[in-house]
Amino acid sequence: MSSPSDMNTGDVVELAAKEAAQQDVPDHHVTDVALKPAFFDWLCRMGDTTLILGHRTSEWCGHGPALEEDIAQANIALDLIGHTQMWLGLAAEVEDEGRTADTLAYLRDAMKFRNLLLVELPKGDMAVTIMRQFLFDAWHHDYLGKLTGSSSPRVAEIAAKALKEVTYHLERSSDLVVRLGDGTDASRRRMQDALELLWPYTGEMFVSDEVDRAIAEAGIAPLVEDLHADWTETVTEILKEATLELPSGTAYAQKGGRTGRHTEHLGFVLAEMQFLQRAYPGASW
């Protein structure tokens, strides 16, 4: 996805040449056979998570409580799908088996998806949507910031592009959490309920495994467990300002999405998302 300044480029040929040149930057990680399984899996974790959250967020299109919020949710969904195109596009290139970002998105079964469980949960009410976005944004923003220094030029480039949009996502979701948490009794109660519902799923964002360790050893990304302290500081600060209470229970109760073990909700998401491509293979506009 092009940055805002790129979108204003008058010469589309120049823009296409610029993006092609960025993709031609040498990256030995892409062709490293020994690293391929871990790198592919890690890229799918990134792309699948933004894909599923993007789809969940898009479910508000035409159903938002206010026109501004309806448009904002649609734009956030588009940003996330744009990130997916980059992550899964690179994953297909690393895999080198003829698949594309589209086939990875629309022709894999649930057990092959590597997204966080947090993002596949039903959208719920607006309190759940906003609280989930905030909890994810706080992690996503920090992770992308660190990925801009990746030893993989391609990963660093994707992270730099996505970070511009995710910076706005975090600012917006943080502001809404504060406004609603420190709002009326009803809005505070609903935000607290949403936090209690989602909290058990947040721990999965910080559980490192052999894939993470292989990627960290290659210098591509830090271990996700190393993000926990900064995330906790950000979340605690915003929730305090919002007069919301941190849940007392463990945040590690639910996990498995990053290794293909999902809730029943993902199957319903994929049934809707993948229907057209599976019903009419190879269909195009």
Side-chain angles (χ1 to χ4, degrees):
M1 175 174 285
S2 301
S3 65
S5 58
D6 287 338
M7 296 298 287
N8 293 325
T9 301
D11 189 346
V12 294
V13 176
E14 177 186 344
L15 174 57
K18 176 182 175 182
E19 295 190 343
Q22 291 171 341
Q23 292 182 352
D24 287 339
V25 174
D27 189 341
H28 70 277
H29 296 301
V30 174
T31 55
D32 187 334
V33 175
L35 185 63
K36 178 187 292 190
F39 198 13
F40 174 77
D41 207 61
W42 181 82
L43 288 166
C44 286
R45 291 177 178 186
M46 297 297 293
D48 291 348
T49 294
T50 53
L51 173 65
I52 300 304
L53 182 56
H55 184 81
R56 278 298 190 210
T57 305
S58 75
E59 292 176 339
W60 280 107
C61 187
H63 300 280
L67 182 58
E68 180 180 358
E69 192 61 32
D70 196 304
I71 295 172
Q73 292 297 326
N75 282 333
I76 291 170
L78 286 171
D79 289 344
L80 292 169
I81 299 302
H83 304 166
T84 299
Q85 183 73 37
M86 294 187 288
W87 290 124
L88 293 188
L90 182 54
E93 188 176 340
V94 168
E95 183 187 41
D96 194 26
E97 293 185 4
R99 293 200 286 185
T100 66
D102 287 342
T103 53
L104 286 174
Y106 296 117
L107 296 177
R108 278 183 299 155
D109 295 328
M111 68 182 67
K112 298 296 184 181
F113 272 72
R114 298 291 184 263
N115 58 277
L116 294 167
L117 295 179
L118 176 69
V119 303
E120 69 190 48
L121 300 176
K123 76 180 193 310
D125 62 9
M126 187 54 67
V128 171
T129 292
I130 291 170
M131 182 58 71
R132 169 168 53 192
Q133 191 69 47
F134 165 65
L135 295 172
F136 176 74
D137 288 343
W139 175 86
H140 200 199
H141 183 269
D142 188 29
Y143 202 17
L144 290 174
K146 289 179 171 58
L147 291 178
T148 58
S150 172
S151 63
S152 166
R154 299 288 297 281
V155 168
E157 178 67 24
I158 293 172
K161 288 183 177 181
L163 184 60
K164 298 175 185 179
E165 295 164 338
V166 174
T167 297
Y168 165 72
H169 295 178
L170 178 58
E171 290 176 355
R172 187 176 189 280
S173 61
S174 298
D175 179 64
L176 287 172
V177 166
V178 171
R179 288 167 60 189
L180 293 173
D182 193 29
T184 66
D185 290 341
S187 68
R188 184 185 185 283
R189 173 180 53 79
R190 291 173 69 172
M191 292 300 287
Q192 186 67 49
D193 288 346
L195 179 60
E196 298 283 350
L197 171 69
L198 299 169
W199 190 254
Y201 295 90
T202 59
E204 186 181 18
M205 296 187 289
F206 309 104
V207 180
S208 297
D209 59 12
E210 64 279 1
V211 170
D212 296 298
R213 286 187 283 274
I215 294 302
E217 288 174 5
I220 295 173
L223 290 172
V224 289
E225 63 194 44
D226 294 339
L227 305 174
H228 190 252
D230 287 344
W231 178 85
T232 300
E233 181 179 352
T234 298
V235 169
T236 300
E237 179 183 347
I238 295 300
L239 293 182
K240 181 179 180 180
E241 188 176 353
T243 69
L244 297 173
E245 299 177 7
L246 277 172
S248 57
T250 176
Y252 291 89
Q254 303 293 338
K255 59 184 178 180
R258 298 171 80 235
T259 56
R261 302 192 306 276
H262 297 279
T263 69
E264 69 275 18
H265 305 298
L266 182 62
F268 291 100
V269 172
L270 296 181
E272 181 178 83
M273 190 178 75
Q274 297 180 341
F275 171 77
L276 182 63
Q277 185 57 245
R278 290 183 180 271
Y280 303 96
S284 60
W285 294 104

